[in-house]
Amino acid sequence: ISPSLATDIEMMAFHLESQFDMQNLASMSKLSGSWKLLYSNAPEISNLAKKLPLGFALGPTYQPLDIVTGRFENRASVVHQMNIAKLETDVVGDVSVSELGTLNAIGVLNERGNRINVDFRCIVFKLDEILGVPLKHPVTKVIIPRLANNAVQPANDITFLNDTIRIIRGGDGSLFIFERDELLGVEQMLSMDDREQLLTKVNSPKANDEQAIVGIGSDRSQQRNSPELRFLFKDSR
């Protein structure tokens, strides 16, 4: 989108945040559901949207979330303009209500009860289609995030919430705007059994030998040790 449109979107988000000045959103049941990402100025999103190599582009991105069981996933597709291949990424993690009085990465105090802690458990990369033909056995790679020793707890502040729109600010102040997607639901996440099987495999001693481990809150160069992350962040600044 154009810089002027991006500015308009961010001003409208700021207006909603300021006008309604909501509190205690982190514990509201309406957080649960499937949310489609409409806009973000976060570098990790904008770089993917603009700079994927070899003709690939970021497709629709969804965040199914279940506040009752403390589960979330970030599901995104990566498509090719000539339909050479289709990839999917799924970030699997946990969410919990942050304690009042905690500080995020840029020093913002949680004093309104709107902060959610985010713990990343694993990132699944899946190549599931080549030349328009679905693969019977998709090629899968799992990456295990590990929080750096000196890193602040990852957290998001929910700054606006109604039945259809959710606005959040990441720990670095980045803006994310989501729209509730009624065509999807919490059932689009991994089932509890499938999630447990995945995380059990991820946390096994054998998995630590076979799967890539990347740092969160560490130097970005350390986050690109795996070829999958080098591909996603190619040429981004």
Side-chain angles (χ1 to χ4, degrees):
I1 65 176
S2 68
S4 61
L5 179 55
T7 299
D8 289 343
I9 292 172
E10 292 172 20
M11 288 298 295
M12 291 177 64
F14 178 76
H15 175 72
L16 285 174
E17 293 169 329
S18 302
Q19 179 180 0
F20 290 91
D21 193 24
M22 293 181 165
Q23 299 185 45
N24 301 315
L25 298 179
S27 56
M28 293 190 68
S29 60
K30 68 173 60 177
L31 276 176
S32 295
S34 182
W35 298 88
K36 182 178 181 179
L37 182 64
L38 299 180
Y39 174 83
S40 178
N41 61 8
E44 64 268 25
I45 299 296
S46 58
N47 285 331
L48 288 178
K50 296 176 183 177
K51 298 179 180 180
L52 280 177
L54 306 176
F56 285 92
L58 181 64
T61 300
Y62 294 90
Q63 186 180 81
L65 173 67
D66 187 347
I67 197 68
V68 175
T69 59
R71 297 178 296 150
F72 86 96
E73 294 179 28
N74 288 335
R75 291 178 167 262
S77 59
V78 178
V79 297
H80 193 273
Q81 58 189 3
M82 298 181 66
N83 205 30
I84 290 177
K86 180 182 177 183
L87 304 92
E88 294 183 358
T89 65
D90 188 10
V91 179
V92 178
D94 302 328
V95 290
S96 60
V97 178
S98 302
E99 292 185 8
L100 290 174
T102 54
L103 299 175
N104 67 6
I106 57 174
V108 176
L109 183 68
N110 177 29
E111 57 184 352
R112 310 191 70 76
N114 293 337
R115 183 164 296 166
I116 293 287
N117 289 335
V118 179
D119 294 298
F120 301 98
R121 304 292 297 276
C122 67
I123 307 170
V124 181
F125 292 87
K126 184 183 296 184
L127 173 62
D128 54 9
E129 189 174 300
I130 296 179
L131 298 176
V133 179
L135 297 180
K136 185 176 181 179
H137 301 289
V139 179
T140 302
K141 175 68 176 290
V142 177
I143 292 177
I144 307 169
R146 293 284 189 259
L147 191 64
N149 292 332
N150 60 346
V152 175
Q153 168 66 48
N156 294 324
D157 288 336
I158 308 155
T159 55
F160 178 83
L161 178 68
N162 63 18
D163 290 336
T164 56
I165 296 294
R166 175 168 60 109
I167 299 176
I168 67 174
R169 298 282 177 172
D172 61 354
S174 296
L175 173 66
F176 298 83
I177 302 176
F178 291 88
E179 178 183 32
R180 189 183 298 276
D181 192 325
E182 298 296 344
L183 297 179
L184 294 173
V186 174
E187 67 274 13
Q188 292 298 316
M189 281 194 288
L190 294 171
S191 69
M192 294 292 286
D193 287 343
D194 288 344
R195 175 186 166 98
E196 185 63 29
Q197 290 178 16
L198 172 63
L199 296 180
T200 298
K201 182 178 179 181
V202 162
N203 293 319
S204 70
K206 184 178 179 181
N208 289 335
D209 294 333
E210 295 180 350
Q211 298 165 349
I213 299 177
V214 296
I216 299 176
S218 58
D219 183 84
R220 183 172 290 275
S221 63
Q222 297 179 16
Q223 300 176 22
R224 300 185 189 173
N225 288 335
S226 76
E228 292 79 13
L229 292 186
R230 287 199 300 271
F231 171 81
L232 287 177
F233 289 103
K234 181 180 177 64
D235 294 330
S236 63
R237 298 289 184 266

